[in-house]
Amino acid sequence: MKVAILDGYNINPGDLSWDPLAKLCDLVCYDRTSDEQIIRRSRDMDGIYVSQCVITGEIMDALPRLRYIGVTATGYDHVDIAAAKAHGIAVTNNPAYSTEAVAQHAFALILELTNHVGSYHRSVLQGDWYDSPDFCYMRESISLLDGKSLGIVGYGHIGRRVARIAEAFGMTVNIYSRDPEAARKSDILTLHCPLNSENHGLINRDFIAGMKDGAILINTARGGLIQTDDVLEALHSGKLAGAGIDVLETEPPVRPHPLIGAPNCIVTPHIAWMPRETRQKVVDVSAANLASYIEGGTLNRII
């Protein structure tokens, strides 16, 4: 098979090897591929791998040789599945590869908002500890997680992993899908659900009004789950004491984004899934998926 990786940079910026895939096929790898380049780069390919490239039915029409699309992520909404089925193109994905990584990052955001490690470090670098009259000093108030409550919206693989970590911290876990009062009862609310037409903009002014005063919001799921202006308003008013955001509706964001620089809001650039070990898993599973396809198997087949 001739196979092209169309947007491999985020998976492998140079610290991994594509050898597990290269051993199975005649492989070409591109760091990035624009919409205008997709057809030209894929025309002679039996298979392509995509992370963010949008593969429409029109593109498939222009690629009669294409028989396999490997998605190097869990979500595959950027591939027209109905069109792929009509064209007889197999599609595979990488399910649940980032569970531990995203759960870890969710707590990294929580701990930064409760312990302010980065802020205190910058303060020490600025000389504030040298000048302190006491052995310690307080800039931001530090909060204890033990005894607090964590609300989880989306109780799949990641949500369950987050729940176990929360319990290890001594937190009470409220599962939104089982308890409609979870938002009202939770000191911290964390989002781990897929984005769909029913929950787009779920975290809006009305939802926030039903949350506990001074709660913290964490989003490592999808940017479209929140109404940005409503979250910004709640941060300014103090209704939300803080927010930890790893995903935005448009990525990269358009300057200036309201939440970047907002009070008590930490924004990271969609990196929750990115530990080296996790990206290695993507390479290995992608290779296993292709090997299965070549042998007539159905490992991680969507269609």
Side-chain angles (χ1 to χ4, degrees):
M1 289 181 68
K2 293 184 67 175
V3 176
I5 300 169
L6 295 184
D7 48 3
Y9 183 80
N10 287 328
I11 301 295
N12 180 12
D15 59 344
L16 301 177
S17 171
W18 291 114
D19 282 355
L21 273 169
K23 292 175 181 177
L24 299 170
C25 60
D26 181 1
L27 184 68
V28 177
C29 183
Y30 300 100
D31 284 344
R32 301 170 186 86
T33 297
S34 68
D35 292 342
E36 294 75 22
Q37 293 172 318
I38 290 175
I39 291 175
R40 176 167 56 83
R41 290 181 172 180
S42 305
R43 185 174 286 118
D44 297 327
M45 299 296 159
D46 302 294
I48 57 175
Y49 277 92
V50 295
S51 174
Q52 296 295 316
C53 287
V54 177
I55 308 300
T56 64
E58 290 76 14
I59 288 175
M60 296 178 205
D61 290 339
L63 303 174
R65 180 170 171 170
L66 188 65
R67 288 293 174 264
Y68 177 85
I69 299 174
V71 179
T72 55
T74 300
Y76 47 85
D77 53 320
H78 53 297
V79 176
D80 188 330
I81 297 301
K85 185 174 183 179
H87 284 78
I89 299 172
V91 181
T92 65
N93 73 334
N94 273 247
Y97 71 94
S98 62
T99 298
E100 292 79 10
V102 175
Q104 176 177 310
H105 195 77
F107 268 90
L109 293 170
I110 290 170
L111 289 167
E112 181 59 32
L113 287 163
T114 57
N115 286 60
H116 307 287
V117 171
S119 175
Y120 274 101
H121 173 62
R122 289 188 294 273
S123 170
V124 169
L125 291 178
Q126 292 165 5
D128 293 341
W129 203 6
Y130 290 119
D131 300 331
S132 173
D134 304 301
F135 77 94
C136 63
Y137 60 92
M138 179 179 291
R139 286 169 53 91
E140 293 91 1
S141 178
I142 296 174
S143 301
L144 190 65
L145 291 181
D146 183 62
K148 297 291 196 309
S149 55
L150 180 73
I152 301 176
V153 180
Y155 201 59
H157 293 290
I158 297 172
R160 287 179 170 84
R161 181 64 171 157
V162 167
R164 291 198 296 273
I165 298 171
E167 289 167 350
F169 272 104
M171 302 183 77
T172 299
V173 173
N174 303 317
I175 303 167
Y176 181 71
S177 60
R178 301 178 185 176
D179 181 3
E181 295 293 302
R184 183 185 61 80
K185 298 189 297 188
S186 299
D187 298 293
I188 302 170
L189 188 75
T190 183
L191 309 181
H192 299 292
C193 54
L195 177 65
N196 56 48
S197 58
E198 294 182 359
N199 63 19
H200 191 277
L202 171 68
I203 311 301
N204 57 22
R205 182 178 289 106
D206 290 340
F207 188 101
I208 295 168
M211 293 174 64
K212 180 181 284 191
D213 289 346
I216 288 173
L217 174 67
I218 304 293
N219 187 12
T220 57
R222 288 290 181 267
L225 292 169
I226 71 173
Q227 290 281 4
T228 296
D229 291 341
D230 294 349
V231 170
L232 182 66
E233 177 184 293
L235 287 167
H236 278 289
S237 72
K239 173 65 178 180
L240 289 177
I245 306 293
D246 185 55
V247 286
L248 298 174
E249 189 157 17
T250 300
E251 297 172 343
V254 177
R255 184 184 283 111
H257 192 280
L259 292 180
I260 297 177
N264 300 317
C265 184
I266 299 169
V267 180
T268 53
H270 204 144
I271 58 171
W273 66 279
M274 282 190 72
R276 187 182 189 280
E277 297 87 346
T278 302
R279 291 182 289 109
Q280 182 65 60
K281 187 184 296 185
V282 172
V283 174
D284 293 342
V285 172
S286 295
N289 289 347
L290 183 60
S292 175
Y293 169 76
I294 292 171
E295 295 166 1
T298 58
L299 181 64
N300 295 320
R301 282 279 292 269
I302 300 162
I303 56 168

